[in-house]
Amino acid sequence: MVLESVLGTAIGLVMGLTGAGGGILAVPALVVALGVDMVTAAPVALIAVGLSAMLGAIDGLRRGWVRYKAAMLMSVVGGLLSPLGAAIARLLPVGLLMIIFGCVMLVVAFRSYQKATCSADSENCENANKACMLSPSTGRFIWNRRSALTLAGIGAVSGLFTGMLGVGGGFIIVPALQRFSNVSMHGIVATSLMVIGLISAVTVSQAVSLGLQWPTHLTWFVVFALVGMFAGRAVSPHLPARTLQMAFAIVCVGVAFIILAKGFGVL
């Protein structure tokens, strides 16, 4: 119970602070620390991540941070691609799946590090070329073909990885929205949490329909993930975004090497 509680709290805290990382860290935590097999770990992680994300999204809606139209578009497209990702996962050997997971985490860590170290001037120069821009007068997305296709593409990729790797998709959504939009970090995190919650619900429903066997000892993992989310959402406005991004990059690198070692049979 103690280990499950500590790990669940840590997962919820990371997701509450960054809008990403919950799923990508939950699966390794379940597999490496708790000895859960990869097939069981994926849906359990999504349940913990999905419930936590919905709580965070509700908080974001209350504060007016969620770009709900964009979130709905990404969720619908992601939900359609999630079953395809799950089907691909069933065809791949567990070792290969873990190697893919580790490589994806290294890419995410590198992108997070880049974002944390880039200068304010370079960020401002990029704004003019971004596909998804907020209107200065209304504060809402300027919808056109380019912005709609970009958001749909983000949803498609996140949904595919959600189904294939059992992650919430935030590790794709957050960097992508930073790259392709001028939404504030608070808005990106809140919008990401809403998408994670909705896509996770679709993927979990599929796992339940296929006969998911719930390990009762992991209930505490889910409960304390919710506790961690509450704590993360309370603390996040008081921490610099760059500090959070750098810490997330470091954590991702460490976990990626553990997962790669297990995938190659070293651990």
Side-chain angles (χ1 to χ4, degrees):
M1 171 182 170
V2 175
L3 185 56
E4 288 88 343
S5 302
V6 171
L7 291 174
T9 302
I11 297 304
L13 186 63
V14 169
M15 190 163 58
L17 291 173
T18 66
I24 206 169
L25 296 176
V27 173
L30 291 168
V31 172
V32 177
L34 298 179
V36 180
D37 64 89
M38 192 75 170
V39 175
T40 303
V44 170
L46 278 177
I47 290 171
V49 167
L51 289 175
S52 301
M54 288 309 297
L55 286 179
I58 291 170
D59 176 65
L61 284 168
R62 183 177 60 84
R63 297 173 185 267
W65 291 340
V66 176
R67 305 294 163 181
Y68 57 89
K69 291 181 182 178
M72 290 300 296
L73 174 59
M74 289 187 285
S75 299
V76 169
V77 177
L80 293 174
L81 268 293
S82 178
L84 175 60
I88 293 173
R90 290 193 293 272
L91 298 175
L92 296 177
V94 174
L96 178 59
L97 197 59
M98 297 183 77
I99 291 170
I100 294 173
F101 199 173
C103 292
V104 169
M105 291 186 70
L106 289 176
V107 173
V108 172
F110 178 70
R111 293 294 298 164
S112 183
Y113 174 80
Q114 279 189 318
K115 188 66 180 179
T117 55
C118 70
S119 66
D121 289 339
S122 65
E123 288 184 21
N124 291 334
C125 290
E126 290 179 357
N127 280 342
N129 298 319
K130 292 187 175 182
C132 306
M133 300 291 290
L134 298 180
S135 168
S137 58
T138 65
R140 298 178 179 178
F141 271 129
I142 300 172
W143 285 95
N144 51 45
R145 183 177 180 181
R146 184 186 180 199
S147 62
L149 288 176
T150 299
L151 291 169
I154 295 171
V157 175
S158 65
L160 188 66
F161 276 96
T162 295
M164 189 167 67
L165 300 177
V167 297
F171 72 101
I172 291 173
I173 297 166
V174 171
L177 286 179
Q178 288 177 319
R179 170 65 179 83
F180 295 109
S181 80
N182 63 340
V183 178
S184 69
M185 193 61 190
H186 285 304
I188 289 174
V189 169
T191 302
S192 172
L193 290 175
M194 183 173 181
V195 179
I196 291 169
L198 293 174
I199 294 181
S200 296
V202 174
T203 310
V204 168
S205 297
Q206 184 188 33
V208 171
S209 68
L210 293 174
L212 171 65
Q213 299 296 316
W214 179 257
T216 55
H217 70 284
L218 295 180
T219 301
W220 290 110
F221 178 84
V222 176
V223 171
F224 276 87
L226 301 178
V227 174
M229 170 58 73
F230 276 119
R233 297 303 294 156
V235 172
S236 63
H238 308 291
L239 297 177
R242 294 188 179 188
T243 301
L244 296 175
Q245 289 166 342
M246 186 65 73
F248 179 55
I250 294 171
V251 171
C252 278
V253 168
V255 177
F257 280 116
I258 294 173
I259 287 296
L260 285 172
K262 288 186 71 67
F264 284 110
V266 177
L267 291 178

